[in-house]
Amino acid sequence: MSRHLKPTMALAAALLASTTFDASAQTAHIFWKDLRPATQAVAEDAGLPMIAAKLPDHGETLSLNLQDKTVQLAGYALPVDRDGDLVYQFLLVPWTGACSHMPTPPPNQIVLVTPARPYKMSKAYESVAVTGALQPGMEKSQLFILDGVSIIQSGYTVRKAEVVAVDNVPDTITLPINSPWTFLNKKKN
């Protein structure tokens, strides 16, 4: 490599590294607790499943300080709009089994996600991390489950989201032993 090319390559690498650093510095890595008031009971306190009816505000108090901020949140994807294994819209929920055969979490614990590109999903409740601009605001979605249609109210939306599969959700709620959804939490060998 010529001695003139080395400084140019080093400068290009430095610019690329600083761009990556700046982008990640602007992304807030949040947890489910960041989407609800600090005074609201968590699932373990309210008894699983935490449902809106048990909460004084029905889980409709949203965190407005995150509005328009680029965030990354890990959770479990439950398809709303799909064609085969391609998912065009999904609900991001804090535990497996939420919204399907278990009471729905409060709206401030559900995010309606529209991926930037269709996301290839192999199973419901796949653990994913979503990155995008968080918008507080109530929105209703129709969820088609085996025994009919449910209307689910989410408290947040992320549109044009980047979605990646993750191995675990750091702040997941551990389901009780008698939950019919514990099989979803078991690791594959």
Side-chain angles (χ1 to χ4, degrees), residues 1-18:
M1 193 179 289
S2 77
R3 60 184 186 163
H4 297 289
L5 190 54
K6 282 184 181 178
T8 306
M9 295 288 286
L11 177 60
L15 286 173
L16 181 61
S18 68

Side-chain angles (χ1 to χ4, degrees), residues 6-132:
K6 282 184 181 178
T8 306
M9 295 288 286
L11 177 60
L15 286 173
L16 181 61
S18 68
T19 302
T20 304
F21 177 77
D22 289 343
S24 65
Q26 294 174 359
T27 300
H29 298 272
I30 64 169
F31 298 100
W32 288 98
K33 67 179 178 57
D34 299 321
L35 299 179
R36 63 177 172 74
T39 56
Q40 188 178 80
V42 294
E44 290 89 350
D45 297 337
L48 247 177
M50 179 176 68
I51 56 173
K54 291 183 178 182
L55 304 171
D57 68 347
H58 301 286
E60 294 180 353
T61 303
L62 305 177
S63 181
L64 299 178
N65 64 336
L66 295 171
Q67 184 168 346
D68 296 324
K69 296 214 166 118
T70 300
V71 301
Q72 183 177 70
L73 176 65
Y76 301 94
L78 185 57
V80 171
D81 183 12
R82 76 182 308 162
D83 184 14
D85 60 354
L86 293 179
V87 176
Y88 298 91
Q89 195 170 56
F90 63 86
L91 298 175
L92 188 68
V93 295
W95 65 80
T96 57
C99 303
S100 176
H101 301 295
M102 287 181 77
T104 303
N108 64 14
Q109 295 294 284
I110 301 174
V111 180
L112 179 63
V113 178
T114 305
R117 292 165 300 288
Y119 181 72
K120 189 172 184 174
M121 186 179 296
S122 60
K123 62 180 181 178
Y125 297 110
E126 187 172 312
S127 53
V128 297
V130 171
T131 304

